[in-house]
Amino acid sequence: MGTDNEQQDALLQHEIEIIEGVLESKAQYRKIVKAGIAQWVKDLQAGNIKMQTVQDLDRLIELDIKLQKDEL
């Protein structure tokens, strides 16, 4: 069994790996959200979406903002 410092270092390294994984996932989610927003805008410009149906865009924007806040 290692010393207290070795155990603390191992625990810290494990926590760093978990945080890195979470940050990587959030970056991927932001890419998906950005792509969704871009597609929504294209569909709106093509006339496939009426301005009455902005709820999906609103949800995408809210999700993007939440993901950005978590980065601060």
Side-chain angles (χ1 to χ4, degrees):
M1 189 163 179
T3 66
D4 284 341
N5 284 341
E6 289 172 340
Q7 290 174 347
Q8 287 176 350
D9 288 347
L11 179 60
L12 182 59
Q13 182 61 39
H14 177 71
E15 290 175 358
I16 289 170
E17 290 170 4
I18 290 173
I19 291 170
E20 287 174 343
V22 169
L23 292 174
E24 182 179 324
S25 293
K26 285 182 181 181
Q28 292 173 353
Y29 298 150
R30 287 218 52 224
K31 288 178 185 178
I32 293 168
V33 169
K34 286 181 173 184
I37 291 170
Q39 184 61 51
W40 192 94
V41 170
K42 285 179 186 178
D43 288 344
L44 177 66
Q45 290 171 339
N48 299 329
I49 296 176
K50 304 293 182 217
M51 283 305 291
Q52 302 100 300
T53 59
V54 297
Q55 189 175 15
D56 290 339
L57 177 62
D58 187 48
R59 287 181 182 156
L60 288 169
I61 292 170
E62 285 180 21
L63 181 57
D64 191 41
I65 290 169
K66 284 180 183 179
L67 290 169
Q68 288 181 56
K69 282 183 181 177
D70 287 344
E71 291 177 1
L72 299 177

